[in-house]
Amino acid sequence: MSLVSLAISNHRHHRRASISALHRHHPAVPGPPSPDRFPSSVHFPAAAGAQPHGPSRRSLRRCILGSGGRAFVQDAGATAAVLAGAYSLVFTFDTLTQRNLIQQSLSRKLVHILSGLLFMACWPIFSNSIEARYFASLVPLVNCLRLVINGLSLATDEGLVKSVTREGNPQELLRGPLYYVLILILCAIVYWRESPTGVISLAMMCGGDGIADIIGRRFGSQKLPYNHRKSWAGSISMFVCGFMISIGMLHYFSSLGYFRLDWTTTLWQVALISLVATVVESLPTKEVLDDNISVPLSSMLMAFWIFGW
Ligand SMILES: C/C(=C\COP(=O)(O)O)CCC[C@H](C)CCC[C@H](C)CCCC(C)C
Ligand SMILES: Nc1ccn([C@@H]2O[C@H](COP(=O)(O)OP(=O)(O)O)[C@@H](O)[C@H]2O)c(=O)n1
């Protein structure tokens, strides 16, 4: 069974689970009947052929091991595939930079934008098991180790240094890039795909902050009054693109059934989070706190305050 078909079967199983879970808390939401919605006096007839005392111990063991084993294989396969994607992404931008097809600063920013968003977009191919988020977090963890080893010059991966640093100094890997992958690990393990908080935080760090740099460097002649290193063009583009990417990723996960949102209120809530993250990013605090920490953390605090999870 391919990864995609596993993801689809995952999704169907998950949708059934989330709809039944949802109508337990929102009886108004249409959904399949379940014992929770009916008074205890109503009993559901045992399924035809069901054993009077439930499935046998042996068949239960076969079921658990079977589903557990399938989930392990799916998560291991998904981890390997996403790891390969990570290496391919860095290799691609290294090749483009080596051939002088793109500038090193643009290469770094495109890796910044694409890495986290593509990583997050891959979350649905992992299983519905408890361990899935830990398998997924192995990908940024491996890249974290890669950054540390190369940042300390214990090894030399020229491609990584060229596509991820500004001036080609390996020690740069121990700052922005390292904080970036640590935030990916945090969001994958703490929030995963069940919470809008992690999704919005990564969308603002990867999409918003990344695009602010690209637009700001090119069109940022009008500097901010309180921070002459940043510009109106950069900040406005961070707010607009961060908002749009956040909404896009929230729609992606909610359409797969991982959570349900009331879009009439979600739009202004996400706009508020984007505004706060944009203001935080514009502050002259780079020497104190890297944007790859301040932007996602401010987004997490605002999103937790608004969504409560
Ligand atoms: C260049 C990066 C951060 C620097 O940010 P800033 O200082 O310019 O603000 C990003 C570093 C990315 C890292 C080397 C690779 C991360 C890969 C990711 C965990 C998985 C991507 C998988 C996907 C399928 C491509
Ligand atoms: N709000 C912003 C953010 C960045 N920028 C431009 O992008 C450059 C890099 O921004 P940055 O120092 O936040 O870069 P990173 O720390 O995100 O790599 C700045 O020096 C500005 O030229 C901007 O004009 N306005």
Side-chain angles (χ1 to χ4, degrees):
M1 193 188 266
S2 72
L3 273 182
V4 174
S5 50
L6 272 171
I8 293 168
S9 65
N10 246 1
H11 161 55
R12 290 192 182 125
H13 165 76
H14 185 89
R15 245 183 115 65
R16 280 195 298 275
S18 56
I19 287 174
S20 58
L22 192 70
H23 83 265
R24 269 201 292 276
H25 302 292
H26 304 281
V29 175
S34 96
D36 307 52
R37 282 180 73 189
F38 295 82
S40 56
S41 57
V42 177
H43 293 285
F44 286 80
Q51 303 186 22
H53 301 294
S56 72
R57 191 182 299 277
R58 185 181 313 117
S59 59
L60 200 59
R61 191 183 309 119
R62 199 181 306 123
C63 171
I64 290 169
L65 289 178
S67 60
R70 259 201 319 275
F72 177 85
V73 169
Q74 180 178 346
D75 291 331
T79 303
V82 179
L83 263 177
Y87 276 86
S88 306
L89 181 80
V90 172
F91 176 77
T92 300
F93 280 98
D94 169 44
T95 305
L96 293 173
T97 309
Q98 299 273 14
R99 294 179 182 178
N100 295 317
L101 294 174
I102 58 170
Q103 294 173 336
Q104 191 163 344
S105 59
L106 180 59
S107 162
R108 172 192 176 109
K109 276 307 151 187
L110 290 176
V111 172
H112 176 120
I113 293 169
L114 294 174
S115 297
L117 294 181
L118 291 175
F119 172 58
M120 193 164 39
C122 291
W123 288 356
I125 68 173
F126 290 85
S127 78
N128 286 327
S129 72
I130 303 287
E131 297 76 18
R133 66 180 71 197
Y134 301 104
F135 273 93
S137 66
L138 287 177
V139 177
L141 179 62
V142 166
N143 282 277
C144 175
L145 295 175
R146 203 176 159 205
L147 291 170
V148 169
I149 289 168
N150 284 275
L152 296 175
S153 300
L154 301 176
T156 307
D157 181 341
E158 284 298 329
L160 181 70
V161 173
K162 284 200 179 314
S163 54
V164 169
T165 64
R166 281 203 188 90
E167 283 94 27
N169 176 358
Q171 288 182 347
E172 280 185 61
L173 298 175
L174 301 176
R175 290 192 293 274
L178 182 60
Y179 305 145
Y180 180 98
V181 294
L182 290 174
I183 291 294
L184 291 182
I185 294 169
L186 175 74
C187 288
I189 292 177
V190 173
Y191 298 107
W192 193 218
R193 55 198 182 197
E194 277 99 32
S195 162
T197 298
V199 172
I200 296 168
S201 302
L202 292 187
M204 290 310 299
M205 178 183 77
C206 305
D209 183 32
I211 286 169
D213 182 309
I214 294 175
I215 301 296
R217 284 179 192 273
R218 278 157 183 72
F219 308 106
S221 56
Q222 297 294 318
K223 301 300 182 186
L224 297 175
Y226 53 86
N227 183 357
H228 295 296
R229 288 187 60 252
K230 304 283 174 82
S231 66
W232 287 106
S235 293
I236 290 168
S237 59
M238 173 170 179
F239 170 72
V240 173
C241 297
F243 170 76
M244 289 165 59
I245 293 170
S246 296
I247 293 296
M249 293 308 289
L250 287 176
H251 178 71
Y252 173 69
F253 283 99
S254 60
S255 65
L256 289 174
Y258 291 109
F259 45 74
R260 302 277 296 268
L261 295 166
D262 173 1
W263 289 102
T264 50
T265 54
T266 298
L267 289 175
W268 67 261
Q269 289 167 333
V270 173
L272 178 60
I273 296 167
S274 303
L275 179 63
V276 168
T278 300
V279 169
V280 168
E281 190 275 342
S282 72
L283 298 175
T285 54
K286 183 154 184 69
E287 309 315 321
V288 177
L289 194 59
D290 192 282
D291 292 348
N292 291 342
I293 296 174
S294 60
V295 169
L297 283 191
S298 57
S299 303
M300 282 176 206
L301 290 173
M302 279 304 293
F304 182 75
W305 177 60
I306 288 173
F307 292 104
W309 47 297

